Amino acid sequence: MTSSILSLDRNALEGALFEMGFPSYRAQQIIKWLHQHQIKTFDKMHNLPKLLRQQLEEAFTLEDLGINHEHVSKDGTVKWLLKVDEQNSIETVYIPESNRGTLCISSQVGCALDCSFCSTGKQGFNRNLTTGEIISQLRIAKQRLCAINPTQKHPITNVVMMGMGEPLANEKNLYPALRLMLDDHAYGLAYRRVTVSTSGIVPAMKRMNSELPQIALAVSLHAANDQLRDQLVPINKKYPLEQLMAVCNSYYEGQRKRQITYEYVMLDGINDSKDDARALKKLLKRAPGKINLIPFNPFPNTSYKQSPAKRIDQFRDILNDTYITTVRKTRGDDIAAACGQLAGDITDKARRRIKIYEKTSQ
Ligand code: SAH
Ligand code: SF4
């Protein structure tokens, strides 16, 4: 099977060019054509020798994911349902704000980690997205947003890996995509404007800390003790809070002093009491960061309920004297574009679970 040229970051392109007998500086030109000019066929790469264009065409495909649906919300949020193969589709969401435009990208078709409050998790896991499929979401969003509003030159200023899937369970394909997001000749996103959100795959967090220091980290915490976190975020059985907070501490205290964002879903009567807030405050002493409280977004067949607004405010007020604590506004309500409502369309609901995420004897 021919592979997609969109899956190649600068290093990989230089390697491919070397094999073909062309100089490495051509990689930069190709990256510009693909990710800045967003060309759809190789023959548009005018400043490349014809022979190289031909060889690229023979060696690679250049195809974006198909757009199944585009929903534009009243508040400007845009959600795309993108086809990844005959059976499966994923979701990508754009959230405009006054001072920035954030694209929320998917990393997997489904998710194997099975968090009890997440509709993606409830769908089971089908497969990892390739680098080309991850970066194609950015290409498509850029093309569509410029078509929807041609006066906008740079609609996307931030990327968050908070769509479907656990990005750090797909490191091999994620890292080249992140490098393209940061590459000045591709998307050129600024330092720390690309955020990877993880439910806490500790060894991968360690690798990302050393390999990609420009990337911002968001940790989906949701509970301040192991007993509750084991139920909400089952990966906690494999990497309990002690280990998770130790790696967060290495981000915080490391040479690069990275700011961490902690995500905490507000579930009525489950994790939203005053005592829970105090326990969270204590837990984060080790690796302080910003806290983002996410009102639970319901989906069909869930027994969880969203905490009442008053309790969310009370929870925030307890934390706010020590940590900057915000309550995430729900955007794109009318198009089900909020966190955890991203369900895509997975036909293979085999609910495969990956062995390593099961409890290990300590
Ligand atoms: N797998 C990664 C990133 C994708 S989920 C992670 O878990 O961090 C993005 C965020 O949405 C996570 O913080 C996740 O816990 C949260 N989330 C999932 N389901 C939700 C729901 N139903 N309501 C509110 N937030 C939810
Ligand atoms: Fe996967 Fe994140 Fe959903 Fe958990 S919250 S099931 S890790 S996508």
Side-chain angles (χ1 to χ4, degrees):
M1 208 175 77
T2 0
S3 61
S4 168
I5 193 157
L6 297 177
S7 282
L8 274 53
D9 64 2
R10 178 183 297 258
N11 254 345
L13 260 176
E14 286 177 358
L17 286 162
F18 181 79
E19 296 278 308
M20 291 174 174
F22 288 91
S24 59
Y25 75 88
R26 295 285 182 200
Q28 184 164 309
Q29 295 175 317
I30 296 171
I31 283 177
K32 270 189 162 179
W33 283 117
L34 293 173
H35 303 289
Q36 283 188 4
H37 304 299
Q38 311 259 306
I39 52 132
K40 293 183 194 278
T41 53
F42 291 101
D43 59 359
K44 294 270 169 20
M45 299 182 174
H46 298 307
N47 55 358
L48 299 192
K50 197 157 177 231
L51 181 65
L52 175 54
R53 280 186 264 160
Q54 272 170 0
Q55 288 194 19
L56 289 174
E57 178 125 39
E58 278 160 26
F60 300 106
T61 56
L62 172 44
E63 242 178 274
D64 278 304
L65 300 173
I67 302 179
N68 280 349
H69 290 290
E70 177 179 88
H71 305 263
V72 182
S73 161
K74 283 185 260 158
D75 66 12
T77 303
V78 187
K79 178 170 93 166
W80 295 274
L81 188 66
L82 302 174
K83 181 177 171 183
V84 291
D85 53 47
E86 286 315 311
Q87 280 88 39
N88 301 296
S89 45
I90 51 154
E91 291 179 345
T92 306
V93 179
Y94 175 69
I95 305 144
E97 284 168 286
S98 56
N99 55 348
R100 62 183 171 189
T102 304
L103 191 69
C104 178
I105 289 187
S106 294
S107 56
Q108 298 183 307
V109 183
C111 183
L113 298 196
D114 202 21
C115 299
S116 55
F117 53 86
C118 171
S119 77
T120 304
K122 291 291 142 213
Q123 294 231 11
F125 173 73
N126 188 281
R127 69 170 174 85
N128 282 329
L129 294 182
T130 65
T131 300
E133 289 166 340
I134 297 172
I135 214 70
S136 179
Q137 297 172 61
L138 196 45
R139 250 176 67 104
I140 290 170
K142 199 171 152 187
Q143 286 162 22
R144 289 301 308 143
L145 292 168
C146 293
I148 293 170
N149 181 358
T151 58
Q152 261 181 327
K153 282 278 169 294
H154 301 289
I156 302 163
T157 57
N158 294 53
V159 166
V160 291
M161 298 301 308
M162 291 186 188
M164 294 170 67
E166 166 54 49
L168 291 186
N170 184 14
E171 282 175 276
K172 182 167 90 45
N173 298 333
L174 175 73
Y175 290 173
L178 294 176
R179 289 198 183 94
L180 282 168
M181 292 174 200
L182 301 169
D183 192 317
D184 279 344
H185 295 96
Y187 296 92
L189 290 170
Y191 194 66
R192 311 246 163 112
R193 283 185 175 250
V194 179
T195 302
V196 168
S197 173
T198 181
S199 54
I201 303 187
V202 167
M205 291 169 76
K206 288 183 185 158
R207 285 189 286 271
M208 190 172 80
N209 194 14
S210 61
E211 280 193 36
L212 284 154
Q214 311 90 322
I215 300 292
L217 177 73
V219 177
S220 294
L221 210 49
H222 308 314
N225 67 72
D226 282 321
Q227 202 193 359
L228 181 57
R229 199 164 188 269
D230 281 355
Q231 287 169 32
L232 301 179
V233 186
I235 189 74
N236 194 69
K237 295 175 193 162
K238 172 93 179 154
Y239 305 116
L241 282 168
E242 172 63 30
Q243 290 182 34
L244 181 60
M245 293 319 293
V247 72
C248 288
N249 177 270
S250 69
Y251 272 71
Y252 175 73
E253 297 247 292
Q255 266 183 337
R256 303 181 191 100
K257 292 252 178 270
R258 303 216 251 180
Q259 166 87 281
I260 303 168
T261 304
Y262 295 99
E263 294 159 282
Y264 194 99
V265 65
M266 298 299 292
L267 301 166
D268 186 15
I270 306 283
N271 65 353
D272 61 350
S273 70
K274 287 182 183 170
D275 280 348
D276 290 318
R278 289 184 201 111
L280 180 61
K281 200 167 175 174
K282 204 167 150 208
L283 181 76
L284 298 192
K285 269 196 185 137
R286 221 171 139 182
K290 288 190 287 189
I291 303 168
N292 201 342
L293 303 177
I294 316 173
F296 171 64
N297 289 309
F299 52 87
N301 299 324
T302 178
S303 53
Y304 291 118
K305 291 194 189 66
Q306 191 178 96
S307 308
K310 223 175 124 194
R311 205 168 318 131
I312 299 179
D313 288 347
Q314 191 179 56
F315 199 92
R316 182 200 52 208
D317 292 345
I318 294 175
L319 295 160
N320 235 344
D321 61 358
T322 317
Y323 310 106
I324 297 170
T325 308
T326 49
V327 179
R328 188 176 293 172
K329 275 185 269 157
T330 309
R331 298 286 305 263
D333 254 356
D334 49 332
I335 58 171
C339 287
Q341 287 182 321
L342 304 185
D345 198 6
I346 307 173
T347 350
D348 177 358
K349 293 188 176 146
R351 315 225 7 176
R352 275 178 261 157
R353 300 274 173 254
I354 298 174
K355 263 241 149 48
I356 61 154
Y357 302 131
E358 287 166 9
K359 190 166 187 147
T360 49
S361 45
Q362 304 286 321

